[in-house]
Amino acid sequence: MLNGKHILMIIGGGVAATKALDLIRRLRDRGAEVTPVLTPAAEHFVTPLSASALAARKCYRDLFDLTDEAEMGHIQLSRAADLVVVCPATADLLAKMVAGLANDLASTLLLATDKKVLVVPAMNVRMWEHPATRRNVERLRSDGVLFAGPVDGPMACGEYGPGRMVEVPQIVATIASVFDSGPLSGRHVLVTSGPTHEPIDPVRYIANRSSGAQGTAIAAALRDLGASVTFVTGPASVPPPSGVAVIRVETAEEMLAAAQGALPADAAVFTAAVADWQVANRGEVKIKKQADGSLPALSFRENPDILATVGQMGMGRPRLVVGFAAETNDVIAHATAKLARKGADWIVANDVSPATGIMGGTENAVTLISADGQEPWPRLPKEEVAARLARRIAEALK
Ligand SMILES: Cc1cc2nc3c(=O)[nH]c(=O)nc-3n(C[C@H](O)[C@H](O)[C@H](O)COP(=O)(O)O)c2cc1C
């Protein structure tokens, strides 16, 4: 599936550099040619010899290599590839890419290339969550840089959390999807999914019954049609699909910030069951039972409306904005009103009253509502609803 594709693989200086060697091997198994480039820091983790042996080609390391530079080697190297993959992408490399620095071979190649760049971040959880890295990631996404991972998990440093490099088979799948010539190839689609959690105090929260199954299926279906998908998910019970860029959030406010950070996108599908309200008087410490039996009185304020915010954007609005309306009564009337009120192009309406078994279940029965009218779909597995919707999105973006 990667036959004849030429991948320039920049290996950064992190512990996960050893996994990049496995990635070279697996990409070559699938027919790709891989040219490795090591940063000076990467050479502390893997040797040029092992990268070169696995790639069966020269491993590049030095910007001022006279032999190569007689032919402007760095420009040629950056242009000859079909795709540039940065794996692992260190916090440092991400920052250099944002700043446009070019003070070694890796950063110069990244600045000189005219090809798509896919970064595979791997770093300590604090480094990943640092505001500087958050800013850099947002900026790179808006520059069109593709991301694979990171994911939550145990780290070499002993900590646990987001920042762990996505597993090698998933990186291979993401790389394959970049070359996929499906009808959505070259398109970026934002999908939100899952519930949000709105804290009452540091240990309690208000949630809803969304499992994330429908949003996950939609992201996978869009990916299968070749889209580059950014998947912003609340704490769902269904794991996110492989081969998409996952951003995990908890609250509606975080979801809005992540969704805005993921733009520009050609289409946005807001599947998440976002809480309408957040607790206005949330406790900074755990709220204790009162000796006199008095009960806590929670007060609420409205959460930001993510669909309306994006639907009503002027410049930078995705060409197609799709909302979901999960209702328990007067489904079509509520959903039709939502279409106009929120500036959406389509609303996918479904009845989630408990008797339907849809919320948390495997099937869905939806009606697609647009300016052209209502189109009821039969009750179908969530994957089939997702596949139909993805095909419709591909048609709309033609
Ligand atoms: C043992 C060790 C492990 C490291 N692991 C990582 C890592 O996983 N991710 C990261 O961003 N930086 C990591 N660093 C820091 C980078 O090596 C350092 O920022 C370096 O300047 C990166 O250079 P490069 O981006 O040119 O490869 C690590 C450093 C050490 C000493």
Side-chain angles (χ1 to χ4, degrees):
M1 64 179 165
L2 289 171
N3 274 338
K5 297 297 179 203
H6 184 181
I7 293 164
L8 183 68
M9 183 137 76
I10 294 172
I11 304 177
V15 183
T18 53
K19 291 193 190 169
L21 299 182
D22 187 30
L23 179 60
I24 294 177
R25 191 176 59 78
R26 293 198 194 219
L27 289 171
R28 291 197 61 222
D29 285 349
R30 282 165 180 74
E33 292 171 35
V34 183
T35 300
V37 174
L38 291 186
T39 66
E43 291 195 35
H44 291 281
F45 299 90
V46 293
T47 65
L49 184 62
S50 49
S52 164
L54 283 161
R57 351 171 110 230
K58 176 170 171 161
C59 172
Y60 292 83
R61 307 150 63 192
D62 190 3
L63 179 57
F64 299 102
D65 182 319
L66 288 178
T67 321
D68 302 323
E69 285 314 311
E71 297 135 23
M72 280 290 168
H74 66 279
I75 302 288
Q76 225 169 44
L77 207 52
S78 70
R79 305 282 169 84
D82 297 303
L83 175 70
V84 181
V85 175
V86 187
C87 176
T90 57
D92 172 69
L93 275 170
L94 297 180
K96 278 183 172 169
M97 287 171 74
V98 168
L101 294 181
N103 57 4
D104 58 14
L105 180 59
S107 51
T108 303
L109 292 172
L110 285 162
L111 199 61
T113 191
D114 55 357
K115 297 296 169 7
K116 276 190 192 168
V117 178
L118 170 75
V119 297
V120 189
M123 67 196 72
N124 169 272
V125 56
R126 300 277 163 258
M127 291 172 81
W128 176 251
E129 287 184 338
H130 193 284
T133 307
R134 308 307 320 141
R135 280 197 301 274
N136 291 341
V137 168
E138 267 185 39
R139 192 55 202 259
L140 290 173
R141 279 189 204 285
S142 67
D143 287 350
V145 171
L146 306 172
F147 277 72
V151 292
D152 286 12
M155 316 230 152
C157 54
E159 291 187 53
Y160 186 97
R164 182 184 162 85
M165 192 165 95
V166 69
E167 293 304 327
V168 170
Q170 193 172 328
I171 305 171
V172 175
T174 306
I175 291 172
S177 79
V178 174
F179 292 116
D180 204 320
S181 56
L184 284 173
S185 79
R187 302 287 187 198
H188 175 216
V189 185
L190 162 69
V191 179
T192 68
S193 182
T196 62
H197 285 183
E198 305 298 331
I200 296 171
D201 65 21
V203 294
R204 305 181 182 95
Y205 56 82
I206 293 171
N208 61 61
R209 294 183 198 281
S210 167
S211 63
Q214 186 63 82
T216 299
I218 290 168
L222 291 162
R223 173 206 62 198
D224 290 346
L225 295 187
S228 152
V229 178
T230 302
F231 186 66
V232 177
T233 178
S237 50
V238 171
S242 62
V244 304
V246 180
I247 305 177
R248 290 172 200 275
V249 296
E250 295 244 330
T251 65
E253 280 179 349
E254 289 169 6
M255 188 169 274
L256 173 63
Q260 287 174 316
L263 297 177
D266 296 288
V269 186
F270 295 101
T271 326
V274 182
D276 289 318
W277 309 283
Q278 58 179 271
V279 178
N281 59 338
R282 75 172 70 148
E284 291 306 318
V285 295
K286 188 181 168 199
I287 301 169
K288 303 298 287 180
K289 264 191 191 171
Q290 297 302 310
D292 63 1
S294 62
L295 299 173
L298 296 182
S299 61
F300 293 90
R301 68 168 157 254
E302 262 192 33
N303 262 329
D305 189 325
I306 301 173
L307 173 59
T309 305
V310 176
Q312 291 164 2
M313 275 173 78
M315 218 173 62
R317 181 189 186 274
R319 252 170 74 198
L320 183 69
V321 174
V322 183
F324 269 65
E327 306 287 350
T328 54
N329 61 296
D330 299 328
V331 177
I332 302 301
H334 282 310
T336 307
K338 198 169 176 179
L339 182 76
R341 200 173 66 243
K342 307 222 174 186
D345 299 297
W346 300 347
I347 292 285
V348 181
N350 60 354
D351 183 346
V352 293
S353 20
T356 64
I358 283 174
M359 219 160 194
T362 57
E363 294 186 335
N364 207 352
V366 307
T367 300
L368 183 65
I369 298 172
S370 69
D372 298 336
Q374 303 164 15
E375 186 184 315
W377 292 1
R379 190 174 172 114
L380 294 165
K382 285 181 175 170
E383 287 73 17
E384 187 50 35
V385 171
R388 276 189 178 216
L389 186 64
R391 286 197 296 270
R392 293 293 287 267
I393 290 171
E395 276 167 32
L397 292 182
K398 258 186 199 159

